[in-house]
Amino acid sequence: MSVAIAFLCKIPHPDTISFADKVAIETGFRVFVVVDSMVKIEPTRNCSIIQLDDTLTLASGYKNCEIGTGITSVGKNPTAWDKFCWYFAQLDTAYDNVWVFEDDVYIPSSQTLINLCLKYNKYDLVTANNFQRVNGDMAWYWPHIINKIEGPHYHSMMCGAGMSRAMLEKINERVQQKGELLYLEALFNTIATNSGLNVHNPFELKSIVWRGEWDINALLLLPDNVFHPIKPVERHQELRLLTQRAIDEKVVPVNNLPSFITDLMDKLNEK
């Protein structure tokens, strides 16, 4: 099984590069940092820096992973997500599984990524959720989505996700047929589910939310999870050190986890 890990960013923080390098050494996976900006990035020994000019992906139809200025918070097209899709769906197709993380997703360690890859490598799309649009819902961004792709429609946060070669082939098919992508939080789940691909929403990704507050207690209570959002990015390495120190000192964490997490934990414990 060949695995790639990709970190997405506009301009990478040095800590992101450092962690990517560490992951490459400790996991043996191919590791990439996909940078949206064309600002000069110093090469690194163990991970690959991917920088693509906007005109390249636009001309190839890899665009619109973000909806547009004034609709979502990203006022640029294409973004690192479009470039990620172009690179792994069209150019470098050597990997059975690709895991992708935006840079404000906190990953406790390289072992976290190894565990995710080993546990979920048989699935085509691994995301936090797979919510279905129901009852003609026109809230959220649906008015900008439903006329661009046949339903039923599904969506999830995509700040951290895993995908198979089959999933990435479907993304490339979409571009070849339609000449564009669409909002990423509906793109992957809708295509995967309607194509009969195997979608899975593991507990380890449930801590990927739009707005959340994750403290050291949560990191200790959920050691196998990844977390979004944790900003600024430079906090990540500090949190890894603080967490390890707390483990070494046998600190007992306070359980102030949000109810949706504790409810899921109760259900898992009942099984």
Side-chain angles (χ1 to χ4, degrees), residues 179-221:
E180 64 173 359
L181 298 170
L182 55 89
Y183 187 45
L184 71 143
E185 291 188 10
L187 171 71
F188 289 90
N189 290 73
T190 299
I191 288 177
T193 306
N194 291 341
S195 299
L197 297 182
N198 200 349
V199 180
H200 187 55
N201 314 121
F203 179 76
E204 292 92 332
L205 300 192
K206 294 299 183 180
S207 40
I208 292 177
V209 296
W210 179 40
R211 290 178 177 174
E213 294 185 7
W214 306 109
D215 61 15
I216 190 71
N217 293 292
L219 306 188
L220 290 168
L221 289 164

Side-chain angles (χ1 to χ4, degrees), residues 59 63 71 130 143 210:
K63 57 187 178 181
I71 302 171
N130 194 34
W210 179 40

Side-chain angles (χ1 to χ4, degrees), residues 15-179:
D15 285 356
T16 300
I17 300 289
S18 177
F19 183 65
D21 229 31
K22 181 180 173 67
V23 169
I25 294 168
E26 295 180 345
T27 65
F29 300 150
R30 285 294 309 277
V31 178
F32 301 80
V33 180
V34 181
V35 180
D36 189 29
S37 170
M38 293 301 290
V39 64
K40 181 176 174 57
I41 306 296
E42 291 299 322
T44 176
R45 182 183 298 273
N46 299 297
C47 66
S48 301
I49 307 296
I50 305 300
Q51 291 180 282
L52 302 170
D53 189 87
D54 290 356
T55 56
L56 173 64
T57 53
L58 285 171
S60 302
Y62 280 83
K63 57 187 178 181
N64 298 343
C65 273
E66 292 289 343
I67 295 172
T69 304
I71 302 171
T72 60
S73 60
V74 180
K76 183 179 180 297
N77 190 18
T79 67
W81 266 103
D82 300 285
K83 296 173 182 183
F84 162 82
C85 290
W86 183 92
Y87 186 85
F88 286 102
Q90 180 168 282
L91 181 66
D92 192 349
T93 59
Y95 304 101
D96 299 310
N97 297 96
V98 180
W99 287 81
V100 56
F101 300 92
E102 295 177 2
D103 61 353
D104 60 347
V105 174
Y106 172 77
I107 302 168
S109 69
S110 298
Q111 189 61 48
T112 306
L113 297 174
I114 292 172
N115 293 344
L116 288 171
C117 293
L118 290 176
K119 288 180 70 174
Y120 304 119
N121 63 75
K122 300 301 183 185
Y123 297 98
D124 294 301
L125 181 65
V126 184
T127 53
N129 297 290
N130 194 34
F131 297 125
Q132 183 175 359
R133 173 178 175 259
V134 294
N135 301 324
D137 180 17
M138 292 298 285
W140 193 56
Y141 302 121
W142 291 124
H144 307 279
I145 296 169
I146 58 174
N147 293 327
K148 293 187 175 184
I149 190 168
E150 186 176 348
H153 301 101
Y154 300 83
H155 69 104
S156 174
M157 292 285 291
M158 286 294 297
C159 307
M163 54 196 72
S164 70
R165 173 52 39 202
M167 177 76 254
L168 289 162
E169 287 174 355
K170 289 294 182 183
I171 293 298
N172 192 47
E173 286 178 18
R174 158 79 191 185
V175 173
Q176 302 314 311
Q177 293 169 3
K178 301 293 185 180

